[in-house]
């Protein structure tokens, strides 16, 4: 245990002890039985209850509040492991040997440098863009930088000439075919036809997963820098993933405590069953698209306020309630107007979210003496009491992972705009691990929708339709 971060480890161990005291230690047998296709299950709206595939990556037990990665309890991983080790575990299924870990970390060091991607990204108005939109764009640039896949497997060109107007072309050489002001570019060699089996392709495999895990942190940090009106910073090869991420965002090497807190947060968000963004990533992968496109769609799905966008909303909500001044009244009004309290409830957890069990005491520890965050934390505590007393027993609504994470990030000096990108920087491990696993036994996703529309309608020409 690192001396300066012992207090953090103690808090995690205490949270783990409490969780274990309050829940039993046996998984529900029906949740871990092998699937015999076709499977019978009760499906609710939003595919609730549907079983999409088998997986060995991770296990979420919603009624007990457990989270397990590859057989390891997330509390143990938070207390004793690192984000890099957890990434290796999720991708490979086992903890690494010292040599394997060294080689993996060296890869991450290499892949953190994304010069071409950042150069391209910097040509966009990142300071005006939604950070998640910019991050998603970054995954596309990474794909181009790393794989050159379009040069090899893109669609065959339909035309041999590229037409353009005169103004957009440098006039260094005399154009040919001037009659229609179309300029002829050197013909490219015929592109190869699309290969169906891309298992060995670098955009569909493990290297792409490593690249994305390392690279998303670099891109997110660069976006954060530009949004602060500063230039991106190169990674420091001597720092861990968590420390590098903080360093590239803030320009300051973090203290051991800050590094440890970020590391724990990254571990907690790394994987979480078949959540919306993971499912989105799998759907894209199942078409034999590639890992970059899959991660890009994961980022897009994560952006919504019902999923990853909640952590940012929580902080804004706490600020609003602080200003309102009366937590009980605010919660009462919100619920009676049919509103949702951000950071509460979960599709799967009908018990206290184990991730919130870790983040709540971390937030309590970090806010001490922080003039901006301490009052918000007090509001959060009161709010938890109020919401749980109203909705806990009947609706099984408790704080989720996002309720306290914003306070933790706020104490690290991170802007709320970056909260959801941080989620992506961590969850990329789960997305890629599950995509690679699914591809080993791939079947394209194709659920059905029940048509409840009309039939037999007669087409009326536009000019005969009523209305101006
Ligand atoms: N505040 C108030 N009521 C709630 C909340 C909430 N946060 N969440 C659920 N409910 C109520 C809901 O109104 C419904 O009541 P009724 O049965 O009377 O109509 C009942 O609980 C069930 O809700 P649901 O919409 O069927 O639940 P769901 O499984 O579809 O939604 C959820 C899960 C996370 C989208 C939802 O709880 C929610 O909107 N929470 C707020 C947003 C949030 O914090 N999201 C982060 C989720 S954790 C991180 C992640 O995985 O992304």
């Amino acid at each position: 245990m690192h001396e300066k971060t012992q207090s953090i480890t103690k808090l995690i161990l205490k949270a783990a002890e409490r969780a274990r005291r309050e829940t039993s230690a046996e998984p529900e047998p029906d949740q871990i039985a092998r699937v015999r296709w076709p499977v019978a299950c009760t499906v609710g709206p939003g595919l609730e209850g549907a079983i999409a595939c088998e997986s060995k990556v991770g296990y979420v037990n919603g009624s007990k509040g457990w989270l397990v990665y590859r057989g390891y309890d997330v509390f143990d991983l938070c207390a004793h492991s690192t984000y890099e080790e957890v990434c290796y575990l999720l991708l490979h299924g086992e903890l690494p040997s010292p040599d394997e870990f060294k080689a993996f970390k060296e890869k991450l060091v290499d892949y953190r440098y994304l010069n071409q991607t950042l150069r391209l990204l910097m040509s966009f108005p990142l300071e005006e863009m939604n950070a998640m939109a910019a991050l998603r764009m970054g995954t596309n640039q990474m794909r181009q930088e790393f794989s050159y896949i379009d040069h090899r497997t893109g669609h065959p060109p339909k035309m041999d000439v590229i037409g353009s107007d005169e103004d957009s072309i440098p006039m260094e050489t005399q154009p040919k075919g001037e009659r229609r002001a179309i300029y002829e570019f050197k013909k490219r060699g015929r592109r190869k036809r699309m290969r169906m089996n891309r298992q060995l392709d670098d955009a569909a495999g493990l290297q792409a997963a490593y690249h994305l895990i390392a690279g998303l942190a670099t891109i997110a940090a660069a976006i954060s820098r530009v949004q602060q009106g500063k230039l991106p910073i190169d990674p420091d090869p001597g720092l861990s993933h968590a420390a590098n991420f903080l360093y590239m965002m803030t320009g300051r090497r973090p203290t051991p405590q800050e590094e440890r807190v970020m590391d724990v947060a990254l571990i907690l968000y790394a994987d979480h069953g078949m959540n919306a963004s993971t499912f989105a990533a799998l759907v894209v992968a199942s078409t034999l698209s590639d890992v970059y496109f899959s991660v890009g769609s994961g980022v897009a799905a994560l952006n919504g306020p019902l999923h990853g966008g909640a952590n940012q909303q929580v902080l804004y909500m706490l600020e609003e309630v602080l200003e309102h001044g009366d937590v009980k009244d605010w919660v009462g009004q919100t619920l009676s107007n049919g509103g949702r309290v951000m950071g509460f409830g979960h599709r799967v957890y009908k018990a206290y979210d184990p991730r919130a069990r870790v983040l709540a005491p971390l937030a309590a520890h970090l806010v001490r003496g922080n003039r901006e965050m301490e009052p918000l934390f007090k509001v959060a505590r009161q709010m938890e009491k109020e919401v749980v007393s109203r909705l806990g027993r009947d609706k099984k609504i408790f704080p989720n992972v996002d309720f306290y994470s914003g306070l933790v990030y706020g104490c690290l000096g991170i802007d709320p705009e970056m909260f959801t990108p941080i989620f992506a920087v961590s969850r990329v491990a789960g997305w890629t691990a599950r995509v690679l696993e699914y591809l080993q036994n791939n079947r394209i996703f194709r659920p059905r929708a029940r048509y409840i529309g009309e039939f037999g309608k007669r087409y009326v020409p536009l000019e005969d339709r009523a209305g101006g």
Side-chain angles (χ1 to χ4, degrees):
M1 209 188 288
H2 193 296
E3 204 184 301
K4 289 192 178 135
T5 59
Q6 261 186 18
S7 52
I8 307 282
T9 307
K10 279 185 187 157
L11 289 176
I12 297 166
L13 292 172
K14 210 167 146 195
E17 201 186 297
R18 185 162 171 206
R20 284 170 190 149
R21 228 183 13 249
E22 291 175 6
T23 60
S24 72
E26 290 305 316
E28 266 84 352
D30 65 320
Q31 285 185 16
I32 52 168
R34 294 299 301 249
V35 179
R36 284 176 176 273
W37 304 105
V39 64
C41 53
T42 307
V43 179
L47 291 182
E48 180 175 10
I51 296 170
C53 58
E54 290 183 321
S55 175
K56 292 182 176 172
V57 174
Y59 173 66
V60 185
N61 183 319
S63 56
K64 293 182 175 163
W66 289 7
L67 178 56
V68 171
Y69 299 162
R70 298 277 190 189
Y72 295 90
D73 190 327
V74 78
F75 289 118
D76 289 337
L77 294 171
C78 285
H80 307 297
S81 184
T82 60
Y83 178 70
E84 288 94 321
E85 199 179 44
V86 165
C87 289
Y88 189 97
L89 172 69
L90 289 170
L91 287 169
H92 293 267
E94 298 289 345
L95 289 170
S97 68
D99 285 348
E100 286 165 340
F101 196 37
K102 184 167 172 280
F104 177 62
K105 285 199 291 188
E106 281 168 5
K107 279 271 180 209
L108 294 185
V109 167
D110 274 357
Y111 287 158
R112 267 184 209 116
Y113 291 90
L114 296 178
N115 297 347
Q116 191 186 327
T117 295
L118 291 189
R119 189 167 60 79
L120 285 166
L121 271 182
M122 294 293 286
S123 64
F124 289 88
L126 296 184
E127 66 286 0
E128 291 167 16
M129 286 179 74
N130 169 300
M132 289 293 276
L135 188 64
R136 183 162 186 241
M137 203 164 65
T139 62
N140 275 349
Q141 319 288 15
M142 283 182 73
R143 177 177 184 273
Q144 193 62 26
E145 179 171 351
F146 188 68
S147 68
Y148 294 99
I149 195 163
D150 290 333
H151 294 278
R152 295 200 312 270
T153 60
H155 299 296
K158 294 212 170 63
M159 293 182 293
D160 287 325
V161 290
I162 300 173
S164 182
D165 59 56
E166 285 173 46
D167 291 346
S168 63
I169 297 183
M171 302 295 283
E172 282 165 14
T173 53
Q174 276 298 315
K176 288 194 237 161
E178 304 88 325
R179 263 197 323 151
R180 285 172 39 232
I182 287 176
Y183 301 98
E184 289 164 11
F185 285 71
K186 202 171 153 211
K187 279 190 187 170
R188 312 162 83 147
R190 229 183 139 67
R191 289 178 182 183
K192 279 188 195 154
R193 285 204 161 268
M194 183 110 138
R195 282 180 289 131
M196 286 309 287
N197 183 1
R198 291 212 196 127
Q199 292 301 314
L200 296 176
D201 198 296
D202 41 13
L206 206 52
Q207 291 305 313
Y210 291 3
H211 188 223
L212 282 156
I213 287 169
L216 244 62
T218 304
I219 298 175
I223 294 165
S224 163
R225 295 287 295 172
V226 175
Q227 295 199 340
Q228 297 167 56
K230 296 172 182 160
L231 283 171
I233 295 178
D234 266 350
D236 177 341
L239 295 181
S240 70
H241 194 69
N244 243 315
F245 184 36
L246 282 170
Y247 166 61
M248 288 189 286
M249 268 193 289
T250 62
R252 182 176 61 75
R253 284 178 176 73
T255 64
Q257 172 163 292
E258 289 168 333
E259 174 182 3
R260 178 86 169 97
V261 168
M262 178 50 85
D263 204 37
V264 170
L266 292 177
I267 293 173
L268 286 173
Y269 276 99
D271 182 63
H272 205 249
M274 194 58 69
N275 55 83
S277 57
T278 300
F279 187 50
L282 286 187
V283 169
V284 171
S286 81
T287 68
L288 294 188
S289 189
D290 60 54
V291 187
Y292 292 90
F293 279 134
S294 299
V295 166
S297 51
V299 172
L302 190 65
N303 181 53
L306 296 187
H307 192 8
N311 53 11
Q312 187 180 343
Q313 298 305 322
V314 168
L315 205 76
Y316 298 147
M317 176 186 76
L318 294 176
E319 285 167 358
E320 186 189 318
V321 181
L322 183 65
E323 209 170 292
H324 180 85
D326 186 339
V327 176
K328 202 173 171 154
D329 179 65
W330 189 94
V331 171
Q333 272 189 39
T334 302
L335 294 181
S336 56
N337 292 337
R340 294 200 166 203
V341 187
M342 287 288 139
F344 285 88
H346 200 275
R347 170 63 62 80
V348 180
Y349 289 123
K350 301 303 166 201
Y352 209 102
D353 184 330
R355 302 163 300 173
R357 281 188 191 272
V358 173
L359 290 167
L362 279 192
H365 179 72
L366 294 172
V367 296
R368 261 179 236 144
N370 185 319
R371 281 192 11 219
E372 201 189 332
M373 291 295 152
E374 206 164 9
L376 293 176
F377 179 77
K378 283 189 182 143
V379 170
R381 272 295 192 221
Q382 273 177 279
M383 202 160 199
E384 175 177 342
K385 251 186 168 166
E386 197 54 37
V387 175
V388 173
S389 74
R390 286 167 184 259
L391 304 176
R393 215 187 55 195
D394 294 342
K395 294 197 181 175
K396 306 279 179 237
I397 287 182
F398 301 98
N400 61 46
V401 65
D402 286 338
F403 191 58
Y404 288 103
S405 64
L407 288 164
V408 168
Y409 299 146
C411 291
L412 296 179
I414 299 169
D415 195 75
E417 264 280 301
M418 291 311 296
F419 294 176
T420 316
I422 296 175
F423 194 154
V425 162
S426 163
R427 184 58 57 83
V428 63
W431 292 333
T432 50
R434 285 179 185 263
V435 160
L436 296 182
E437 180 189 57
Y438 189 78
L439 286 174
Q440 286 172 18
N441 210 358
N442 183 53
R443 185 136 199 252
I444 189 167
F445 279 105
R446 180 51 168 101
R448 293 186 305 165
R450 178 79 53 85
Y451 178 68
I452 53 161
E454 298 172 77
F455 288 98
K457 293 186 88 177
R458 193 177 63 81
Y459 181 81
V460 180
L462 184 63
E463 58 275 20
D464 297 342
R465 283 176 227 159

